[in-house]
């Protein structure tokens, strides 16, 4: 993965607001509540989680499992993998 793109993704995750996350979820038909989006955003902000590295993936997976459940987390992981292959 291009280090520049990794940095952009990490920076964007660090600055993500609950409203933006909820808007993205709605845009991509991901069934999350405003409260779930808020909880997720607050837990990833300023944590420098790199979703392209195994430890970052594990951290993000744990957060998502706790907030939205394993089934939806698995769907999101597959979507992210598909998106990341295109970068």
């Amino acid at each position: 993965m291009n280090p520049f793109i990794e940095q952009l993704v990490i920076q964007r995750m660090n600055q993500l607001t609950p409203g933006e996350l909820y808007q993205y979820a709605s845009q991509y038909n991901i069934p999350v509540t405003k409260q779930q989006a808020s909880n997720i955003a607050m837990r990833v902000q300023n944590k420098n989680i790199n979703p392209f590295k195994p430890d970052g993936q594990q951290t993000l997976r744990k957060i998502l499992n706790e907030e939205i459940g394993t089934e939806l987390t698995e769907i999101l992981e597959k979507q992210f993998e598909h998106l990341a292959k295109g970068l």
Side-chain angles (χ1 to χ4, degrees):
M1 175 59 56
N2 182 324
F4 179 72
I5 292 176
E6 282 186 23
Q7 252 335 97
L8 285 176
V9 171
I10 293 167
Q11 182 179 14
R12 186 67 189 109
M13 285 176 56
N14 284 336
Q15 298 171 349
L16 192 63
T17 67
E20 290 170 330
L21 182 56
Y22 183 74
Q23 183 179 8
Y24 288 137
S26 297
Q27 180 180 346
Y28 293 101
N29 297 316
I30 300 167
V32 297
T33 66
K34 287 183 180 181
Q35 185 62 50
Q36 288 170 321
S38 178
N39 292 348
I40 294 165
M42 295 304 206
R43 292 180 68 181
V44 301
Q45 285 178 341
N46 300 313
K47 299 290 192 284
N48 290 319
I49 299 169
N50 185 340
F52 301 101
K53 303 288 184 192
D55 61 330
Q57 292 168 355
Q58 184 178 11
T59 300
L60 198 52
R61 185 179 305 114
K62 182 179 186 291
I63 291 169
L64 292 174
N65 280 340
E66 291 171 359
E67 298 297 338
I68 60 174
T70 57
E71 185 176 316
L72 186 53
T73 298
E74 288 174 12
I75 292 168
L76 291 176
E77 285 178 336
K78 289 177 184 171
Q79 289 178 342
F80 180 77
E81 289 171 11
H82 179 72
L83 175 66
K85 287 179 183 177
L87 297 177

